[in-house]
Amino acid sequence: MKKVIVLGGGRIGRVIALNLSEDHVVSLADIQKPDDLSSNIEFKPFDVTDQAALQKAVSEFDLVVGALPSVLGFQVLKAVLETGQSMVDISFFTEDPLQLDDLAKKHQATAIVDMGLAPGLTNLMAGHFIATYEQVDELVCLVGGLPVERTLPFQYKAPFAPLDVMEEYTRPARMRRNGQALTLPALTEIETLYVPGIGDLEAFNTDGLRTLLDTVDIPTMAEKTIRYPGHARFISQLKTAGFFDNEHRDNTAQVLQKQWQFKPGEQDLTVLEIRVKGIQNGQPSRETYSMVDHYDTENQISSMARTTGYTCAAAARLVLNKSLKSGIFAPEHLGQETCYFEYLLSDLAQRNIEIKSCR
């Protein structure tokens, strides 16, 4: 058994820690101890913004896992790498993680970044397509977490901090069309998709491709966020009215924290659809991969925590059990290696998370 420390005790961080505690010795670090922390997980109270304390704390562990707010992610990853410790991170920070590749190699450390659901599992699949298609012409990823019960006006509850969701709604969406880089506002180009058992949903542009824009040569790529119909229009009205402007953002987040808070036991679901087009085995190919995941009623774990946290935990096991080179790995790098790809999907399948092809 190896020693792992999870930085961040939010909804996702707690699930990662609980999952890894099944086969490793796990500690969780945060400013305050979560009320529902499992008794077999040691709590370490400290502030990750104190770099000296952070670097001292992580030095005794075999692996560090980052599940922090996006505003903290990059500096924490940099500080951890400077100690020579390896890390798996889901902070989804704004900065380019690949710029830390030289630092990681200098200190002989390995880091897997953006290793959640999307980015994360979607990028992993993209890497797999690059490895198994002779030519990938188009990749579109649609993904979103939803409350089972729809309540106006938002028809939404947040599994993450509201500030991070607001960042998703305000950050310009980078994509590629016919080989040309393109940036559009978030919440634009709304399309309707039908999901059996759920009904009609909407999907709109968001900035979820991240490292894929630099690591793979696919002429047309886009990522869209899935919500119930009408959500994007309502959020756009709030943006236009100034509620997401910098001077009002913190106050808006406090209001949304109450509006978007899941009640204990309240159920959610996660929808994922990946469309790929290209040349496979010498023939034109068009495939759609999908996943619908539900709240774990037995263990009271949200679907978003399952799909995000278990993907991160699977990558943590990969680092602990396999010999990866030093440097920064995006999920698509792992997807291009058959042994890594199969290892990660097998780990997720054991937890009833499967992406199925519906060619």
Side-chain angles (χ1 to χ4, degrees):
M1 298 177 74
K2 302 290 182 65
K3 295 179 63 178
V4 180
I5 184 168
V6 178
L7 306 178
R11 297 183 185 92
I12 309 299
R14 294 199 300 274
V15 169
I16 295 170
L18 182 63
N19 183 268
L20 289 173
S21 70
E22 295 175 4
D23 47 2
H24 296 289
V25 178
V26 178
S27 298
L28 186 141
D30 208 325
I31 296 177
Q32 290 186 326
K33 183 178 181 180
D35 294 334
D36 56 351
L37 186 65
S38 174
S39 59
N40 65 332
I41 299 171
E42 181 184 7
F43 178 69
K44 290 185 173 293
F46 71 85
D47 185 350
V48 296
T49 62
D50 184 338
Q51 182 170 320
L54 170 66
Q55 292 181 325
K56 180 180 179 181
V58 303
S59 62
E60 62 183 273
F61 292 89
D62 298 299
L63 181 69
V64 181
V65 175
L68 297 163
S70 57
V71 294
L72 301 175
F74 183 81
Q75 290 303 322
V76 169
L77 174 60
K78 183 174 181 291
V80 170
L81 293 176
E82 288 173 349
T83 70
Q85 290 287 67
S86 293
M87 186 169 181
V88 178
D89 187 75
I90 60 162
S91 299
F92 309 143
F93 43 77
T94 305
E95 299 88 345
D96 178 10
L98 299 178
Q99 65 179 283
L100 296 177
D101 187 58
D102 288 341
L103 177 68
K105 290 175 178 176
K106 175 184 175 181
H107 293 281
Q108 297 183 320
T110 300
I112 302 177
V113 297
D114 286 357
M115 199 62 203
L117 172 63
L121 194 52
T122 51
N123 300 55
L124 186 76
M125 294 299 296
H128 175 66
F129 299 142
I130 291 293
T132 55
Y133 277 63
E134 291 93 82
Q135 176 181 312
V136 181
D137 298 317
E138 183 175 320
L139 176 71
V140 180
C141 302
L142 302 90
V143 60
L146 302 165
V148 171
E149 182 179 351
R150 300 168 60 173
T151 303
L152 293 172
F154 294 102
Q155 305 183 88
Y156 178 68
K157 296 288 181 74
F160 309 109
L163 279 172
D164 283 344
V165 181
M166 290 164 61
E167 175 70 17
E168 179 182 4
Y169 289 165
T170 55
R171 186 185 300 174
R174 297 167 297 164
M175 61 193 71
R176 195 179 295 152
R177 287 185 184 167
N178 301 317
Q180 300 297 315
L182 178 66
T183 301
L184 294 175
L187 300 163
T188 56
E189 298 187 328
I190 301 171
E191 65 173 278
T192 299
L193 69 153
Y194 176 78
V195 179
I198 300 173
D200 285 339
L201 301 173
E202 68 180 19
F204 47 82
N205 288 326
T206 43
D207 190 48
L209 292 176
R210 295 172 64 82
T211 54
L212 284 172
L213 293 166
D214 298 314
T215 59
V216 300
D217 185 18
I218 300 176
T220 296
M221 289 192 295
E223 193 257 17
K224 290 191 170 185
T225 290
I226 295 173
R227 295 287 187 261
Y228 287 120
H231 179 81
R233 182 172 181 270
F234 184 68
I235 294 296
S236 295
Q237 290 173 334
L238 293 181
K239 282 179 60 179
T240 301
F243 285 93
F244 291 0
D245 292 351
N246 288 335
E247 63 266 34
H248 303 303
R249 185 172 293 206
D250 287 343
N251 289 333
T252 300
Q254 291 181 21
V255 174
L256 294 180
Q257 180 70 39
K258 299 176 182 178
Q259 295 284 331
W260 290 356
Q261 183 75 41
F262 277 96
K263 300 174 184 177
E266 185 175 1
Q267 297 189 22
D268 71 325
L269 57 89
T270 304
V271 178
L272 170 67
E273 183 171 295
I274 302 175
R275 306 166 185 166
V276 59
K277 177 182 176 183
I279 304 296
Q280 189 177 42
N281 300 321
Q283 299 294 323
S285 177
R286 185 189 296 268
E287 292 183 285
T288 298
Y289 288 78
S290 64
M291 178 197 76
V292 178
D293 186 77
H294 297 273
Y295 180 90
D296 180 351
T297 55
E298 180 179 352
N299 299 297
Q300 295 189 325
I301 297 175
S302 74
S303 173
M304 185 56 67
R306 281 171 39 81
T307 53
T308 303
Y310 290 172
T311 302
C312 180
R317 290 190 179 91
L318 179 68
V319 175
L320 291 168
N321 298 329
K322 302 288 185 179
S323 297
L324 275 69
K325 298 183 294 184
S326 60
I328 301 292
F329 286 83
E332 57 268 25
H333 294 139
L334 304 177
Q336 294 178 59
E337 300 291 335
T338 301
C339 61
Y340 298 156
F341 179 77
E342 292 181 348
Y343 181 97
L344 292 167
L345 288 195
S346 175
D347 190 289
L348 290 171
Q350 293 176 38
R351 293 156 178 84
N352 297 316
I353 297 174
E354 296 184 88
I355 299 177
K356 299 179 180 180
S357 172
C358 42
R359 185 190 296 261

